[in-house]
Amino acid sequence: QQQVKQSPQSLIVQKGGISIINCAYENTAFDYFPWYQQFPGKGPALLIAIRPDVSEKKEGRFTISFNKSAKQFSLHIMDSQPGDSATYFCAVGYTGRRALTFGSGTRLQVQP
Amino acid sequence: DSGVTQTPKHLITATGQRVTLRCSPRSGDLSVYWYQQSLDQGLQFLIQYYNGEERAKGNILERFSAQQFPDLHSELNLSSLELGDSALYFCASTGQGAPGYTFGSGTRLTVV
């Protein structure tokens, strides 16, 4: 059973546009929802994370929107820049020392 | 530099061989996680260690094994290698009570 489904697989956005990546999960027991950014040749890096007691979290140009009833969360990148071109992974997990389950990834390309 | 060190960065070996991948977690982090990243599988959780003890297992093959040593570094052993084992292998570490991972830069394994 796939615990988290991520879409789209790839995304092309013009510079200055809004990039939106979506994830849906199955298990309502999850209480930690991070997004990771990965550049070629590098390991994933934590971008932003949210817990289910809030519906939105914003850090700079990056925003997570969380819909607990729909079991969905999304990453919005405002004013997208060519430097944002990377692969983005959502993940689900639990507070504490348990393993995260990652989505399949979205390759974002921001065209200048 | 994320603080998580993985060696070697690249490894090329023949089918049937055995290799060892090494990971040094960020200073103070007790948990180490191993993930496999291949083109069509995303980030797949293999195994987790916490303070020297195995904590959780994911989709780890019987040909693979790992351990965490008293100095908290971890090794992932891959044996009887097959072409399909070619992938990026990442380790990540977390601190006490902090669910966010810090990833290393990975080891790219190529089995020929």
Side-chain angles (χ1 to χ4, degrees):
Chain A
Q1 182 185 7
Q2 193 173 358
Q3 297 201 61
V4 57
K5 294 182 180 179
Q6 183 172 345
S7 63
Q9 197 171 16
S10 63
L11 183 61
I12 299 175
V13 173
Q14 296 296 315
K15 178 182 175 182
I18 302 173
S19 304
I20 302 174
I21 306 170
N22 301 297
C23 279
Y25 62 97
E26 294 291 328
N27 189 342
T28 56
F30 292 130
D31 64 358
Y32 180 65
F33 304 88
W35 285 91
Y36 283 79
Q37 179 188 55
Q38 184 180 27
F39 293 104
K42 302 290 186 183
L46 179 64
L47 191 60
I48 187 173
I50 198 169
R51 298 191 187 278
D53 53 344
V54 297
S55 60
E56 186 175 281
K57 182 174 181 180
K58 184 176 180 180
E59 289 185 2
R61 296 183 294 108
F62 301 92
T63 300
I64 297 181
S65 296
F66 184 79
N67 187 330
K68 190 173 182 178
S69 61
K71 294 188 287 186
Q72 295 176 348
F73 60 111
S74 59
L75 176 70
H76 296 238
I77 307 174
M78 312 300 287
D79 186 25
S80 299
Q81 299 296 313
D84 296 330
S85 297
T87 300
Y88 292 81
F89 293 93
C90 65
V92 293
Y94 305 90
T95 302
R97 295 176 292 271
R98 289 195 251 182
L100 295 174
T101 299
F102 286 84
S104 54
T106 296
R107 182 170 292 184
L108 171 66
Q109 183 181 346
V110 181
Q111 294 186 333
Chain B
D1 182 8
S2 68
V4 177
T5 304
Q6 287 190 249
T7 56
K9 291 193 183 304
H10 302 278
L11 200 48
I12 301 175
T13 190
T15 55
Q17 295 299 304
R18 172 189 170 94
V19 297
T20 297
L21 312 183
R22 181 186 170 104
C23 170
S24 293
R26 201 175 49 167
S27 178
D29 286 355
L30 300 179
S31 281
V32 171
Y33 305 79
W34 285 97
Y35 282 79
Q36 179 191 58
Q37 185 177 37
S38 51
L39 277 175
D40 57 349
Q41 294 291 323
L43 282 158
Q44 297 293 313
F45 168 63
L46 296 178
I47 197 164
Q48 175 199 359
Y49 276 83
Y50 175 76
N51 202 20
E53 295 188 1
E54 182 183 302
R55 179 61 65 93
K57 268 187 174 180
N59 300 321
I60 188 167
L61 300 173
E62 286 191 10
R63 301 183 285 108
F64 296 0
S65 64
Q67 54 184 330
Q68 186 179 27
F69 295 85
D71 67 352
L72 301 178
H73 91 272
S74 178
E75 293 181 357
L76 179 66
N77 301 295
L78 315 177
S79 61
S80 302
L81 285 166
E82 301 175 358
L83 295 177
D85 298 327
S86 295
L88 271 167
Y89 291 84
F90 286 103
C91 80
S93 69
T94 60
Q96 289 195 8
Y101 287 178
T102 299
F103 280 90
S105 295
T107 293
R108 181 175 293 279
L109 173 67
T110 303
V111 183
V112 297

